[in-house]
Amino acid sequence: MSTKTTILPLSLDRVCYSAGGTRLIEDFSTSFTADERTIILGPNGAGKSLLLRLCHGLLKPASGTISWQGSNTGDAARRQAMVFQKPVTLRRSVAANVDYALGIRKVPRARRRELVVSALTLAGLSGLASRPARVLSAGEQQRLALARAWVLSPEVLFLDEPTANLDPAATRAVENMISSIHDDGAKIIMTTHDLGQARRLADHVLFMHQGRLVEEAVAESFFANPETALAKAFLDGELLG
């Protein structure tokens, strides 16, 4: 999936977000560039999922700015996608779930058939094309959600804990699919609580605590020699308040 223009980098400048009078994201500044797989780490309640929703445009910041800096910023909403921890499936077949997304984009029917086949092949779901999507296993549903996102050729793909509660085999299948989507040219921005997964997938790490960006580093450096006491404690398995 190559594009001649880009919507990246995605820049956040002193972004804050509040709900119910409580500040949940505080003065968050960073920039997401192309190519790298960015993994967002942090304890439960750190604000990881909120950050993804802000970046994807599902939530609006209370203050600060979130901006797509590339040459096609007006088309940014169509060139990004998000897959949630609990996949959303429609009451129709596996193939029809993917076809629906293409129909919304007004892709011609003949072309849609080709793309559905490609997406289900990538997801390892070709043999289940006619099965009702909602009877799939949790791992299969997550791969279907990834296929439905990938088929729209997003330049940026946000993933919120995509393997939470999956068994090791299902997790491996989802991780392999994420790697394939990355190799196909999509920028991956993903949250996870699984340090092993972060080590396997990350090129770049953001570490959050209590709504703040505590540390940002190349993955190899972060895991080998974190610069902050909070990041070190997290990697050592300590419970952070």
Side-chain angles (χ1 to χ4, degrees), residues 129-201:
S130 61
R131 184 169 299 183
R134 293 189 174 181
V135 305
L136 297 181
S137 69
E140 289 166 344
Q141 288 193 34
Q142 193 62 283
R143 282 186 280 141
L144 174 58
L146 284 166
R148 196 172 52 201
W150 172 82
V151 81
L152 298 177
S153 297
E155 185 177 347
V156 179
L157 180 58
F158 296 101
L159 304 173
D160 189 13
E161 298 275 5
T163 62
N165 304 316
L166 297 185
D167 63 33
T171 294
R172 186 180 307 110
V174 169
E175 287 185 6
N176 288 342
M177 193 171 174
I178 291 169
S179 293
S180 295
I181 292 171
H182 165 70
D183 292 342
D184 196 41
K187 163 70 177 180
I188 302 294
I189 303 175
M190 171 177 157
T191 67
T192 183
H193 67 280
D194 184 337
L195 286 175
Q197 180 172 79
R199 291 176 188 273
R200 290 189 295 272
L201 295 180

